[in-house]
Amino acid sequence: MHSASGPHSLFISDLHLCSSRPAITALFLDFLSSTALQADALYVLGDLFEYWAGDDDLDDPHHQAVITAFQQLHSAGTNTYFIHGNRDFLIGARFAAASGMTLLTDPCALTLYGHNLVLSHGDALCTDDTDYQKFRQQVRTADWQTGFLSLPLATRKAQIEALRQRSEQEKSHKSMQIMDVNGDAVDALLRAQDYPALLIHGHTHRPGHHTLVVDGRQCERWVLGDWYEQGSCLRLDATGCQPLPVSAGCLTSDGLRKGVPRQPACRAHR
């Protein structure tokens, strides 16, 4: 099912879906069954889940609901793509097969509707946060992932939770500038990718539109928003990019669906 004002693709990131935030999951599932159905393709640029401990957790009821919705979207004719985030870099081939999604590398260069663009989660651009970059380099290696995935699922989840708590403590001592993208890193990426017209990324939870000039070449940098209290989506067609609102009318001011009791929070963070 395509239409809604002509050919277009949609981009989202940083949903941080988890079972303790059912209203946002419900909002996202509604998005997949309505707005996303009208698109040629949906690109998820990382942090779809609050965390992903491995593809042997596919049977979790919350995960199953999301996977089924992606499979239905794929079956209806919308292509779906995924780039790993810092919270779900362990998503693998089993998840991709179950959901119908295609896994992309980071960064990913492509051409859509006459626009040359580069997609990224964005965490690799936050080079001022040297401690995080060291951690990222470690956990993205095949040896580390093989060792971690050999542990029992319950052990992995406990270690991830401990790591999340430590990360929150460390971030409270970091400046906002350190946790944002580094301008030189952005310039280097654009240069390496032959000056694309568009760079789209997430991670920082700072949605915005920035016009850059690198070596005399102009580029637009679009930063996707998170889905903590409402949805956030970017549309691309032949005319360019346009942020789209994702209705949050069904949510209360604290991000809960009306009538759904509060549950222990798993607040979305970078």
Side-chain angles (χ1 to χ4, degrees), residues 122-129 133 179-182 203-204 270:
D123 58 330
L125 300 173
C126 300
T127 55
D128 291 332
D129 192 346
Q133 294 300 328
M179 294 188 291
D180 202 354
V181 299
N182 174 280
H203 181 64
T204 63
R270 286 181 52 244

Side-chain angles (χ1 to χ4, degrees), residues 3-234:
S3 64
S5 307
H8 66 279
S9 291
L10 301 176
F11 303 84
I12 57 176
S13 72
D14 300 286
L15 294 95
H16 294 267
L17 299 178
C18 57
S19 59
S20 61
R21 294 196 304 132
I24 290 297
T25 298
L27 180 64
F28 178 59
L29 296 180
D30 180 71
F31 168 82
L32 291 183
S33 65
S34 56
T35 305
L37 272 177
Q38 301 169 349
D40 299 329
L42 174 66
Y43 294 82
V44 183
L45 305 190
D47 286 2
L48 173 62
F49 295 103
E50 176 68 1
Y51 69 85
W52 188 261
D55 281 4
D56 52 343
D57 202 18
L58 291 177
D59 293 334
D60 174 89
H62 180 260
H63 295 163
Q64 267 300 309
V66 175
I67 289 169
T68 298
F70 271 116
Q71 182 60 58
Q72 291 173 344
L73 178 64
H74 175 75
S75 297
T78 297
N79 295 318
T80 52
Y81 302 94
F82 179 80
I83 284 180
H84 292 106
N86 55 297
R87 295 302 188 98
D88 49 20
F89 57 86
L90 290 174
I91 280 179
R94 288 174 59 190
F95 173 89
S99 63
M101 302 188 80
T102 298
L103 303 182
L104 302 177
T105 58
D106 185 356
C108 175
L110 65 161
T111 301
L112 291 175
Y113 316 112
H115 304 286
N116 294 326
L117 61 150
V118 169
L119 308 178
S120 175
H121 176 58
D123 58 330
L125 300 173
C126 300
T127 55
D128 291 332
D129 192 346
T130 55
D131 289 339
Y132 170 71
Q133 294 300 328
K134 291 177 182 177
F135 169 78
R136 185 182 189 277
Q137 184 175 17
Q138 175 190 20
V139 301
R140 296 302 181 98
T141 63
D143 287 345
W144 185 93
Q145 293 185 12
T146 298
F148 184 74
L149 291 173
S150 69
L151 299 173
L153 179 60
T155 301
R156 279 177 265 148
K157 288 185 174 183
Q159 290 190 10
I160 289 171
E161 181 57 35
L163 182 62
R164 287 176 59 222
Q165 294 181 7
R166 189 182 76 184
S167 175
E168 292 310 310
Q169 294 175 353
E170 292 175 349
K171 283 192 294 185
S172 66
H173 301 293
K174 294 179 180 179
S175 70
M176 295 298 289
Q177 180 178 357
I178 285 178
M179 294 188 291
D180 202 354
V181 299
N182 174 280
D184 290 339
V186 171
D187 290 354
L189 173 62
L190 296 175
R191 200 173 282 121
Q193 296 294 330
D194 197 24
Y195 310 100
L198 299 171
L199 167 62
I200 303 174
H201 71 83
H203 181 64
T204 63
H205 298 196
R206 302 178 190 184
H209 174 220
H210 310 269
T211 299
L212 311 174
V213 177
V214 180
D215 303 334
R217 307 283 290 274
Q218 183 169 304
C219 172
E220 296 179 53
R221 178 170 72 93
W222 288 88
V223 187
L224 305 174
D226 64 81
W227 283 58
Y228 178 52
E229 294 182 346
Q230 60 186 11
S232 179
C233 178
L234 187 69

Side-chain angles (χ1 to χ4, degrees), residues 242-260:
Q242 177 187 4
L244 289 183
V246 178
S247 174
C250 61
L251 304 182
T252 63
S253 60
D254 56 4
L256 293 171
R257 179 174 290 278
K258 295 175 182 177
V260 175

